Amino acid sequence: MEKPLFLYALCGSQRKASTNRRLLEALRDNAPDGVAIEISKLIGELPIFNPDREGEKTPAIVEALAAKIRSADGIIVACPEYAHGLPGGLKNALDWLVSRDEVPFKPVMIAHASHRGDFALEQLTEVLRTMSLRVVDEAFLRISLLGKADDAQAATLADFSENERLSTAIAEFRDAISGGRVDFQAEQRS
Ligand SMILES: Cc1cc2nc3c(=O)[nH]c(=O)nc-3n(C[C@H](O)[C@H](O)[C@H](O)COP(=O)(O)O)c2cc1C
């Protein structure tokens, strides 16, 4: 049997009741066969990025995050918008990865749990592209849970589970990763 595709998900909200984490959980629970999704628990535990602590001085928790990223076939990011920007915690996690070799060319799917937040989405895309990650536009998924009570969020996600929008988004990302691997190897050879 083929090894399952491993997707590592980064949630930019540390809130217990985060709608973005809930969307990631729904994606995880609706992932098609052969795809495993793990939601990172490390982002909120990272120290503030400091270039003086790179190389041999890199904190163990940053190495743990980097190892997860290295082992992942793709990354999923879901984050809220804070003051028309990216949440600091997520940007901090990304900053730790900028100078390392785990992220370049790693495929990324962006998911978003709000009908607002376009500034953050634009900044996220710019930051990820600047870090040489490969943002898969076709896999972008926006399902607004903002302002909905707990049961209304559950009902919305149940609808998107039933109409297979959640599983289809992951399948699109999976297909882009599988196709992209070949293209990237061809690019490397030429
Ligand atoms: C400090 C702070 C700043 C925010 N700034 C914005 C903003 O600029 N634009 C926006 O659309 N929402 C803003 N929001 C609302 C959040 O982006 C929104 O509630 C988001 O869906 C929360 O995501 P979460 O449920 O995953 O935590 C802000 C929320 C907080 C706490």
Side-chain angles (χ1 to χ4, degrees):
M1 216 173 82
E2 249 184 68
K3 196 171 147 270
L5 197 84
F6 174 55
L7 305 179
Y8 192 55
L10 306 179
C11 179
S13 172
Q14 297 306 304
R15 252 173 17 100
K16 209 169 164 198
S18 166
T19 51
N20 284 285
R21 189 176 307 101
R22 194 154 185 184
L23 176 55
L24 289 172
E25 287 165 354
L27 285 167
R28 177 194 63 198
D29 297 345
N30 285 270
D33 284 350
V35 179
I37 299 177
E38 177 182 332
I39 302 167
S40 179
K41 293 195 175 89
L42 300 175
I43 293 182
E45 308 302 319
L46 296 171
I48 292 178
F49 173 63
N50 180 346
D52 292 343
R53 296 186 70 193
E54 291 191 289
E56 283 176 7
K57 293 183 186 154
T58 302
I61 189 164
V62 175
E63 292 292 359
L65 174 71
K68 285 286 185 187
I69 303 269
R70 181 182 295 284
S71 67
D73 297 291
I75 306 295
I76 308 176
V77 183
C79 73
E81 175 171 288
Y82 287 164
H84 286 189
L86 280 184
L90 176 66
K91 182 63 166 62
N92 182 54
L94 295 173
D95 287 345
W96 276 112
L97 299 166
V98 169
S99 316
R100 304 182 56 110
D101 66 358
E102 289 85 6
V103 293
F105 308 108
K106 195 70 80 175
V108 188
M109 166 181 172
I110 297 176
H112 193 63
S114 170
H115 52 282
R116 305 191 319 230
D118 287 337
F119 290 104
L121 287 173
E122 204 174 306
Q123 286 173 29
L124 178 62
T125 307
E126 177 65 19
V127 169
L128 294 172
R129 291 212 165 112
T130 301
M131 292 172 66
S132 300
L133 285 105
R134 194 162 64 84
V135 179
V136 177
D137 293 326
E138 316 88 73
F140 174 69
L141 178 69
R142 178 177 229 155
I143 295 178
S144 185
L145 303 175
L146 178 68
K148 291 192 162 98
D150 189 70
D151 53 352
Q153 288 182 27
T156 300
L157 291 170
D159 285 347
F160 281 96
S161 171
E162 202 156 312
N163 69 20
E164 298 184 358
R165 186 68 192 94
L166 292 163
S167 55
T168 303
I170 297 297
E172 277 167 10
F173 189 41
R174 175 200 60 200
D175 293 348
I177 292 172
S178 312
R181 251 190 220 128
V182 176
D183 292 349
F184 174 56
Q185 282 164 4
E187 263 172 43
Q188 295 280 77
R189 281 194 298 272
S190 62

